[in-house]
Amino acid sequence: YIIYFGEISEMKNCDRLIQFFRQYKRIFRNDLKLVLAGKEQMKFPKDRNIISIGCVGEEEKYALIEKS
């Protein structure tokens, strides 16, 4: 998976990140997931390849980085 940490908002260009990721998935049909970790400040289309996990603590953040 690819993971993003931070506020999930247009001001942080998450809309573009999601758009680019969805384009990538249309071209390269694989099992890659986009994981968003942070406070949701925008709506985005439901997609089985995009997972929003909400806010995470420092320990969980580093564990997620280690596993990616």
Side-chain angles (χ1 to χ4, degrees):
Y1 57 86
I2 297 171
I3 191 157
Y4 165 85
F5 293 101
E7 181 179 293
I8 303 167
S9 70
E10 287 97 355
M11 290 193 56
K12 298 288 187 171
N13 289 316
C14 290
D15 53 336
R16 295 185 71 200
L17 172 64
I18 291 167
Q19 177 188 5
F20 292 145
F21 179 77
R22 294 181 84 198
Q23 287 175 350
Y24 168 87
K25 289 294 288 184
R26 280 192 288 276
I27 296 167
F28 303 98
R29 300 190 182 270
N30 56 35
D31 59 354
L32 186 66
K33 306 287 187 212
L34 173 61
V35 177
L36 305 171
K39 185 175 180 183
E40 283 186 33
Q41 298 291 322
M42 61 175 257
K43 297 220 183 261
F44 51 90
K46 290 190 183 225
D47 187 316
R48 63 185 176 89
N49 295 303
I50 301 172
I51 304 161
S52 179
I53 61 171
C55 295
V56 297
E58 289 297 310
E59 282 186 36
E60 189 173 4
K61 178 180 173 179
Y62 291 112
L64 289 164
I65 291 169
E66 189 175 296
K67 291 178 187 176
S68 64

